[in-house]
Amino acid sequence: MNSRSVEIGLFFSRVMIGLIFVLHGWSKFEGGISGTVGFFESIGIPGFLASVVAIIELAGGAAMILGLGTRVFAAFFVIVMAGVLLTAKVGQPFMSGTEFDYLLLAGSLTLLFTGSRFLAVDQFFARQGTVSRNASA
């Protein structure tokens, strides 16, 4: 397996994880954030964190799709998913709803450690910096 194949595989994971988080973030705002605030408070999480999580999911998901700050947003997603598993999903069996959350956690961990360069905006900025450094040398 060559590195291009790996990068293409990571690209598909990055886009799908980003899309899932965009949709989940959007859904928290869609009918008004108050429902999510109420849910957070009902499980003992401060209500203001509902907006924080929704913004991370929405903005981070969009950035992830574009390949902008992939590792940074992957780290935020790891924190969000760990929070989900330790609060809202605590005590639920693996095959009764948490397997999806674990998959998002694992995918986010993968992108945290590997990044994803294929068709990523970050690569454009990296190339621009290389061109600028080479031109000034």
Side-chain angles (χ1 to χ4, degrees):
M1 184 176 306
N2 65 34
S3 64
R4 182 143 174 98
S5 296
V6 171
E7 280 300 325
I8 291 171
L10 290 169
F11 164 76
F12 285 114
S13 292
R14 185 187 86 217
V15 170
M16 187 52 64
I17 289 168
L19 179 61
I20 290 167
F21 275 104
V22 163
L23 293 174
H24 279 260
W26 180 263
S27 72
K28 286 175 178 61
F29 286 118
E30 193 172 23
I33 194 75
S34 61
T36 307
V37 168
F39 173 72
F40 273 47
E41 290 173 344
S42 76
I43 60 172
I45 300 172
F48 78 91
L49 286 177
S51 294
V52 172
V53 169
I55 290 168
I56 289 170
E57 290 176 346
L58 189 59
M64 183 77 67
I65 291 168
L66 296 171
L68 182 62
T70 299
R71 288 183 169 181
V72 171
F73 287 109
F76 282 123
F77 294 163
V78 166
I79 293 166
V80 167
M81 295 316 300
V84 166
L85 289 164
L86 294 170
T87 58
K89 303 286 179 101
V90 71
Q92 290 186 16
F94 183 75
M95 292 301 292
S96 295
T98 61
E99 66 275 8
F100 179 69
D101 302 296
Y102 281 108
L103 185 59
L104 285 174
L105 177 63
S108 297
L109 281 167
T110 299
L111 291 171
L112 172 62
F113 287 107
T114 64
S116 172
R117 296 184 306 248
F118 186 72
L119 296 178
V121 172
D122 282 342
Q123 282 302 103
F124 175 75
F125 291 122
R127 286 189 199 134
Q128 291 292 87
T130 303
V131 171
S132 298
R133 281 192 297 269
N134 292 338
S136 64

